[in-house]
């Protein structure tokens, strides 16, 4: 368990930057020790579904991460500090239900005690590992973790698909947020030729929207997976146990008095797997993805039964160098709850994902959702351009439109829900540019337009639309 110390708020940022730089400089000279340091800053702008001036705002978030990693003969260790800084958060971007939070700026503001500007210093990683990356290894302490990323295929195509469309669906570090999430516990892995077996027993930390990532949440996780990977394929079977003992009202479609009276915790078991394959054809490289999960357990006083499935395919056609185009399309379906009064909860529970991987404009999450998409990327040299069109509707009209990335503090459930009353939700059109300016610097630009359909129009008015964009710079050493 990580025990917090108290640092005066105004001193945190001033103390953290020289401390991180000094740490990076002093450890470099030590044998077997290498410094690690990165800095990312991002300015975000929201226009939330024509909600008026309260829904139009901009703010910035940055995170400095600095530490060191030691590698010895058969053992290693890592310690890393993080300093997230939030500036200019909106103080009026929340309305009474069903409108709720008008974009992520409102989430950051609420999670940081109503401070428009905030910063904290905390350990992002602090672990000791016995063993090496190949063979057996045991890691104890605070670490980051992403389900589905236990083994990296040798194929660049499969590795990219796995990172972008498989990893972090159920457990992730929420690295896109300005704070992120870590896990306190133990990790065992065995890696052999073409195989990986992983076991995790941990508790998540606070973070994501809460700039104070010191604390540990009252939530237990157990994860087991076995992965087989080869030149043209990758297969995984996994099981995830999650128990949330925070005594909070749950976000679901039951009447408010029922939810408020239900103080029992959550206990959900998720069993699933994925299949990735690749084929080299005369037309180009073709890839296929299948992912699915079944859930059982208890949702407070209700029984929990849910499922989700994703099917995707892509092609990288020959003869278009140096653009290197990649066209992908797919569908996703996550169950919803059709009857709020039958004593059974059937909404798929994503647990602790990194939602922005699967919702590039994160106004929704992968629960009670049906999605069809087409995506085109071109990758000339150090530049990558990608554009998506996503068509969204709710799986069950009597369930909610869900958003969020799971538990991130003790005081709130972690996901929000709005009653739309109908299935059509939105169409998302976006464009991103990522430029690898150098080996240590990346610049990213993103812009999106969200066209609300019946479900969003019922909450925010006819023809409601939203816009989201950001500029991000990341430096790594």
């Amino acid at each position: 368990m990580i025990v917090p110390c108290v640092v005066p708020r105004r001193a945190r940022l001033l103390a953290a930057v020289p401390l991180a730089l000094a740490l990076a400089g002093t450890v470099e000279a030590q044998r077997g020790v290498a410094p690690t340091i990165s800095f990312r800053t991002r300015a975000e702008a929201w226009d939330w579904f024509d909600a008026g001036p309260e829904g139009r705002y901009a703010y910035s978030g940055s995170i400095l991460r600095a530490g060191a990693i030691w590698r010895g003969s058969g053992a290693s260790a890592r310690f890393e500090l993080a300093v997230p800084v939030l500036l200019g958060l909106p103080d009026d971007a929340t309305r009474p239900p069903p409108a709720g939070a008008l974009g992520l700026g409102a989430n950051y503001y609420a999670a940081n005690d109503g401070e428009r500007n905030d910063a904290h210093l905390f350990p992002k990683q602090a672990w000791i590992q016995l063993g090496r990356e190949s063979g057996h290894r045991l890691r104890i302490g605070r670490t980051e973790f992403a389900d589905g990323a236990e083994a990296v295929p040798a194929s660049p195509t499969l590795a990219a698909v796995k990172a972008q469309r498989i990893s972090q669906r159920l457990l992730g570090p929420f690295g896109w947020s300005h704070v992120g999430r870590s896990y306190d516990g133990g990790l065992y892995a065995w890696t052999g030729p073409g195989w990986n077996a992983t076991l995790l027993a941990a508790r998540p930390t606070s973070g994501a929207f809460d700039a104070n990532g010191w604390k540990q949440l009252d939530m237990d996780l157990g994860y087991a997976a076995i992965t087989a990977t080869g030149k043209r394929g990758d297969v995984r079977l996994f099981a995830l146990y999650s128990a949330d003992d925070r005594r909070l009202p749950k976000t679901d479609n039951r009447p408010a008095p029922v939810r408020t009276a239900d103080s029992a915790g959550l206990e959900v078991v998720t069993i699933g797997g994925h299949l990735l394959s690749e084929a080299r054809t005369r037309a180009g490289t073709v890839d296929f993805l299948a992912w699915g999960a079944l859930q059982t357990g208890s949702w407070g006083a209700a029984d929990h039964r849910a499922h989700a499935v994703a099917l995707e395919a892509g092609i990288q056609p020959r003869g278009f160098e140096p653009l290197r185009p990649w066209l992908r399309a797919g569908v996703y379906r996550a169950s919803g709850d059709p009857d709020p009064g039958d004593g059974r909860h059937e909404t798929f529970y994503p647990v602790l994902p990194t939602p922005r991987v699967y919702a590039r404009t994160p106004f929704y999450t992968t629960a009670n959702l049906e999605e069809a998409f087409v995506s085109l990327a071109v990758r000339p040299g150090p530049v990558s351009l990608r554009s998506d069109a996503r068509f969204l509707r709710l799986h069950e009209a009597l369930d909610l439109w869900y958003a969020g990335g799971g538990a991130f503090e003790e005081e709130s459930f972690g996901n929000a829900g709005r009653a739309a009353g109908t299935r059509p939700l939105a169409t998302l059109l976006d464009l991103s540019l990522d430029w690898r300016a150098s080996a240590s610097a990346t610049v990213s630009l993103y812009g999106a337009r969200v066209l609300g359909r019946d479900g969003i129009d019922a909450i925010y008015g006819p023809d409601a639309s939203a816009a989201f964009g950001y500029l991000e710079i990341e430096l790594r050493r």
Side-chain angles (χ1 to χ4, degrees):
M1 178 179 294
I2 302 296
V3 180
C5 68
V6 178
V7 181
R9 178 170 294 174
R10 294 181 180 178
R12 286 177 184 137
L13 180 58
L14 295 176
V17 175
L19 175 62
L21 296 176
L23 179 62
T26 56
V27 300
E28 190 169 21
Q30 300 178 26
R31 185 178 180 182
V33 179
T36 62
I37 187 167
S38 67
F39 176 74
R40 187 190 70 199
T41 185
R42 183 168 69 240
E44 302 178 15
W46 283 90
D47 183 352
W48 184 266
F49 295 109
D50 304 324
E54 297 89 351
R56 293 190 293 271
Y57 57 85
Y59 61 96
S60 70
S62 304
I63 183 167
L64 171 69
R65 299 175 58 160
I69 185 167
W70 168 79
R71 293 183 177 91
S73 178
S76 57
R78 182 167 189 174
F79 181 74
E80 181 183 51
L81 295 170
V83 185
V85 180
L86 303 170
L87 299 175
L89 299 177
D91 58 6
D92 59 353
T94 301
R95 287 185 179 176
L102 310 178
L104 296 190
N107 293 354
Y108 284 110
Y109 180 77
N112 292 281
D113 301 321
E115 297 284 348
R116 297 200 65 205
N117 308 297
D118 206 0
H120 283 262
L121 167 67
F122 61 88
K124 170 61 75 173
Q125 297 192 83
W127 50 257
I128 297 173
Q129 179 172 289
L130 302 178
R132 299 178 179 178
E133 295 302 312
S134 60
H136 299 273
R137 59 187 175 96
L138 175 65
R139 179 179 296 181
I140 301 294
R142 175 167 291 191
T143 189
E144 293 184 307
F145 184 78
D147 84 286
E150 299 88 357
V152 180
S155 161
T157 293
L158 294 184
V161 172
K162 196 171 187 181
Q164 297 171 14
R165 304 301 304 166
I166 291 291
S167 176
Q168 308 180 62
R169 279 190 180 270
L170 297 176
L171 293 178
F174 214 149
W176 183 80
S177 77
H178 297 301
V179 188
R181 172 193 293 129
S182 299
Y183 297 87
D184 291 345
L187 170 70
Y188 166 79
W190 174 78
T191 302
W195 288 89
N196 174 273
T198 296
L199 298 173
L200 173 74
R203 282 189 160 196
T205 67
S206 57
F209 302 111
D210 185 351
N212 184 359
W214 269 104
K215 297 169 289 185
Q216 188 183 91
L217 302 183
D218 192 9
M219 185 175 184
D220 298 318
L221 301 170
Y223 173 82
I226 184 166
T227 306
T229 186
K231 291 183 179 180
R232 297 289 181 264
D234 188 275
V235 180
R236 175 183 56 134
L237 296 175
F238 69 84
L240 170 62
Y241 168 81
S242 57
D244 189 345
D245 293 323
R246 299 173 304 151
R247 305 305 184 185
L248 297 170
K250 300 152 191 66
T251 302
D252 57 52
N253 63 338
R254 294 177 296 175
V258 177
R259 293 188 295 106
T260 302
D262 184 0
S263 61
L266 307 184
E267 194 170 17
V268 175
V269 175
T270 307
I271 299 174
H274 78 251
L275 168 66
L276 296 176
S277 64
E278 172 189 354
R280 304 287 177 87
T281 71
R282 291 183 179 180
T285 301
V286 177
D287 65 84
F288 173 77
L289 173 159
W291 177 93
L294 298 173
Q295 292 184 330
T296 186
S298 60
W299 186 270
D303 293 332
H304 178 76
R305 304 289 186 273
H307 64 272
V309 63
L311 298 172
E312 300 179 12
I315 183 170
Q316 300 172 66
R318 296 181 184 274
F320 291 91
E321 298 294 343
L323 292 179
R324 299 169 57 224
W326 193 349
L327 178 65
R328 303 196 80 254
V331 293
Y332 173 81
R333 174 177 173 175
S335 63
D337 190 279
D339 186 350
D342 64 355
R344 175 177 288 193
H345 182 260
E346 298 182 56
T347 307
F348 184 72
Y349 176 46
V351 193
L352 295 171
T354 299
R356 206 267 167 174
V357 177
Y358 301 96
R360 300 223 299 166
T361 294
F363 68 96
Y364 64 97
T365 195
T366 53
N368 187 36
L369 184 73
E370 294 182 1
E371 177 187 54
F373 79 90
V374 60
S375 173
L376 175 63
V378 293
R379 300 157 291 163
V383 175
S384 176
L385 284 166
R386 173 180 162 184
S387 181
D388 287 16
R390 297 183 176 271
F391 308 95
L392 309 167
R393 68 179 185 179
L394 303 185
H395 180 63
E396 296 289 347
L398 294 181
D399 203 348
L400 307 180
W401 156 29
Y402 292 94
F408 64 90
E409 62 180 3
E410 289 289 346
E411 297 78 16
S412 61
F413 186 70
N415 291 327
R418 299 174 175 88
T422 184
R423 294 183 67 193
L425 186 64
T427 298
L428 167 62
L429 307 172
D430 70 8
L431 178 65
S432 64
L433 181 150
D434 297 290
W435 172 41
R436 189 69 180 264
S438 69
S440 59
T442 303
V443 179
S444 300
L445 187 64
Y446 177 81
R449 189 73 174 174
V450 183
L451 306 176
R453 299 177 66 192
D454 295 352
I456 289 178
D457 290 350
I459 297 172
Y460 295 103
D463 301 319
S465 64
F468 172 62
Y470 68 76
L471 172 63
E472 176 183 287
I473 300 173
E474 184 172 16
L475 306 174
R476 289 182 175 272
R477 179 181 177 183

